[in-house]
Amino acid sequence: MTDFFNEIPKIKYEGQESENDFCFRHYNPDEIVLGKPLKDHLRFSVAYWHSFAFEGGDPFGGQTFNRPWFGNDMKMAKLKADVAFEMFDILDAPFFCFHDADVRPEGTNFFENNDNLNEMIDYIAEKMTYSNTKLLWGTANLFSNRRYMSGAATNPDPDVFAFSAATIKSCLDATHRLGGKNYVLWGGREGYETLLNTHMGREREQAGRMLQMVVDYKYKIGFEGTILIEPKPQEPTKHQYDYDVATVYGFLKDFNLEGEVKVNIEQGHAILAGHSFEHELALARELGIFGSIDMNRNDYQSGWDTDQFPNNIPEITLAYYEVLKAGGFKNGGTNFDAKLRRQSLDAEDLILSHVGAMDVCAAGLKAAAKMLDDGKLEAMRDERYSGWDTQSGKEILNSDLETIYTKVLNENINPEPKSGRQERLENLVNRYK
Ligand code: XLS
Ligand code: NI
Ligand code: NI
């Protein structure tokens, strides 16, 4: 045991009346909702990078956190893993997620990176044998090191493509070895800073090839998890090719991968793309590519991907409503891709941020489950489209312009507008808690 979380107890469910800060008020992991325990609905995951690698920097200043494991050597990486698993235990977190660069010291070349990663994966695998926490997803950090400044798969230099491909192979192997449920690709540098130096068509082809190689390799090693793309419109690059769910779907179609790859949708990225979270989730569900979520919000004033823990129950309710409508998570889960504010220096801040987020998500999911269960919202939505279920509606859809023309003339079809009942629906949604 390290002494980092000294005296912080294991977090238990105590209910809404409790005065204890170190307990869950809404998240009772074993509570049955729509036939299954809350913990299996929500599948919470801690993000290794934000909780253990983030130093507290912002664009105007560097490190504010002093963690005993900060440093670039194996001893520190192991201490970091020890503390990480202690936190997973305090929260009884079902899952975690990591990038290679979060868990291993940075080497000076591919060989060293690979060696460091393998040693750390051995260490983590050993810890997982006596931990309840499983791996939701692994991924490669193909954006921090300066070699990726002009992209990874989409780099103008084929050597960077090769370095990236080799790194993805190591990370897929690591994810597979740890029993990961998914493998994520987030293309932070897969885009451009200026079109003036960019051959967009070529870069898209390169990204498509890389993704095909990833899918081929997944089958080669028998990885049964899901390959996920995480859309984001921009930041760090001015424009990213995986802009939003609709764009990713077009890309997958183009490279014949729509049956192979799904999406990991992040709330903050949805907002950056000019959508709501529930829009992105609903579209992914309709297109059959819904996979997993990164549950972290932006600051609504700053316009940045500020990666804050969620704290808005009504927003989260609408998001989980879509998740439930999609049939819930299969391999996916709720990953808190969220970091502390840079003034939140203490060990307890790390715990309480997650406690609050887990509670808010549990409350949102329970409200969403009630909304789905009593069916009032869906009934009103269906009623709005009920004309399409009539004989005449079906005929119209399967007809052609000339036949419809004759029908409109003969039957004197003269549509009467009907209320969309938006305010009534908004009132209805606000009733669920
Ligand atoms: C950054 C992304 C990143 C991915 C994993 O904005 O959200 O954290 O989730 O690489
Ligand atoms: Ni993310
Ligand atoms: Ni993000």
Side-chain angles (χ1 to χ4, degrees):
M1 277 289 276
T2 74
D3 57 10
F4 186 71
F5 290 115
N6 247 345
E7 297 179 14
I8 295 184
K10 277 192 77 128
I11 308 296
K12 299 260 180 285
Y13 172 74
E14 291 182 10
Q16 288 187 58
E17 304 311 315
S18 175
E19 292 289 324
N20 176 8
D21 286 344
F22 292 85
C23 78
F24 296 120
R25 298 186 155 62
H26 300 280
Y27 180 56
N28 178 3
D30 298 316
E31 180 179 340
I32 303 293
V33 174
L34 299 179
K36 76 179 179 193
L38 259 187
K39 62 171 185 272
D40 297 342
H41 274 291
L42 291 159
R43 293 167 63 85
F44 288 131
S45 161
V46 173
Y48 208 101
W49 53 104
H50 286 315
S51 288
F52 309 111
F54 176 56
E55 296 179 341
D58 71 10
F60 295 90
Q63 180 175 347
T64 57
F65 300 161
N66 288 325
R67 307 294 195 214
W69 58 86
F70 281 172
N72 194 44
D73 63 38
M74 205 45 90
K75 194 167 153 251
M76 292 291 148
K78 289 184 177 165
L79 176 60
K80 193 200 289 190
D82 294 343
V83 172
F85 277 82
E86 283 168 15
M87 184 165 110
F88 303 160
D89 188 51
I90 290 171
L91 295 169
D92 203 9
F95 294 101
F96 74 106
C97 296
F98 76 102
H99 303 78
D100 52 351
D102 313 328
V103 299
R104 57 136 174 80
E106 186 73 18
T108 57
N109 54 32
F110 181 73
F111 179 85
E112 282 180 22
N113 278 351
N114 208 32
D115 234 31
N116 291 346
L117 181 66
N118 289 337
E119 186 171 339
M120 280 311 300
I121 295 303
D122 285 344
Y123 193 72
I124 290 173
E126 157 78 18
K127 289 190 159 296
M128 286 175 74
T129 59
Y130 49 83
S131 162
N132 292 331
T133 304
K134 298 189 169 56
L135 179 62
L136 186 65
W137 46 264
T139 187
N141 178 329
L142 303 178
F143 43 89
S144 294
N145 191 286
R146 67 192 286 277
R147 79 174 66 84
Y148 303 118
M149 69 175 193
S150 314
T154 61
N155 202 288
D157 178 354
D159 283 353
V160 179
F161 184 103
F163 199 105
S164 308
T167 303
I168 293 174
K169 180 199 174 292
S170 316
C171 291
L172 247 173
D173 286 338
T175 302
H176 186 38
R177 162 136 191 243
L178 298 180
K181 307 287 177 219
N182 307 269
Y183 183 83
V184 164
L185 297 132
W186 170 63
R189 305 267 174 206
E190 312 293 27
Y192 62 77
E193 295 296 341
T194 171
L195 261 183
L196 296 177
N197 67 10
T198 303
H199 197 322
M200 221 191 316
R202 272 187 115 116
E203 293 201 357
R204 236 179 130 259
E205 287 295 317
Q206 289 168 216
R209 259 319 278 146
M210 183 70 91
L211 193 56
Q212 286 166 344
M213 289 182 197
V214 171
V215 170
D216 287 348
Y217 189 64
K218 157 192 154 146
Y219 285 114
K220 175 113 199 265
I221 60 175
F223 176 63
E224 288 177 1
T226 309
I227 305 290
L228 299 171
I229 287 192
E230 184 175 323
K232 185 173 182 180
Q234 75 278 121
E235 198 225 282
T237 54
K238 176 180 165 50
H239 175 86
Q240 272 154 230
Y241 298 131
D242 300 328
Y243 197 95
D244 59 3
V245 169
T247 310
V248 168
Y249 186 69
F251 178 83
L252 294 178
K253 281 279 219 198
D254 205 8
F255 293 94
N256 297 319
L257 292 166
E258 69 269 26
E260 300 289 355
V261 177
K262 295 188 159 47
V263 282
N264 179 41
I265 303 173
E266 177 165 317
Q267 183 189 19
H269 298 181
I271 308 289
L272 284 179
H275 304 304
S276 63
F277 194 23
E278 59 271 21
H279 164 96
E280 289 289 80
L281 293 164
L283 185 59
R285 169 173 57 73
E286 298 285 1
L287 296 172
I289 56 169
F290 170 67
S292 198
I293 62 177
D294 272 6
M295 182 56 101
N296 46 284
R297 69 189 169 93
N298 293 353
D299 181 285
Y300 284 116
Q301 275 96 60
S302 81
W304 275 76
D305 184 9
T306 52
D307 290 331
Q308 289 174 246
F309 286 89
N311 68 354
N312 184 328
I313 298 175
E315 261 181 25
I316 283 171
T317 303
L318 294 180
Y320 280 115
Y321 188 75
E322 293 301 329
V323 171
L324 290 174
K325 274 193 74 178
F329 295 122
K330 302 208 167 57
N331 287 345
T334 303
N335 176 44
F336 296 117
D337 188 357
K339 61 188 180 222
L340 293 174
R341 298 308 87 193
R342 71 198 297 265
Q343 300 175 51
S344 304
L345 303 177
D346 298 342
E348 70 167 45
D349 296 322
L350 264 178
I351 302 296
L352 293 177
S353 55
H354 285 88
V355 169
M358 289 160 89
D359 255 347
V360 159
C361 289
L365 184 122
K366 284 191 264 187
K370 282 186 203 147
M371 205 151 99
L372 195 64
D373 203 33
D374 83 10
K376 286 194 182 125
L377 180 66
E378 285 315 307
M380 283 175 74
R381 187 172 3 224
D382 288 347
E383 212 249 315
R384 187 159 180 250
Y385 292 84
S386 56
W388 288 106
D389 299 329
T390 63
Q391 192 56 29
S392 167
K394 286 181 190 149
E395 270 168 28
I396 289 170
L397 209 55
N398 294 313
S399 194
D400 55 75
L401 291 189
E402 277 178 304
T403 317
I404 294 178
Y405 173 89
T406 314
K407 181 178 165 80
V408 171
L409 274 180
N410 288 351
E411 297 174 24
N412 187 19
I413 291 183
N414 199 10
E416 266 305 314
K418 291 193 190 84
S419 172
R421 305 199 280 188
Q422 178 167 340
E423 294 76 10
R424 183 169 168 184
L425 291 168
E426 287 167 349
N427 295 351
L428 173 67
V429 165
N430 278 337
R431 270 188 243 150
Y432 297 91
K433 292 222 166 44

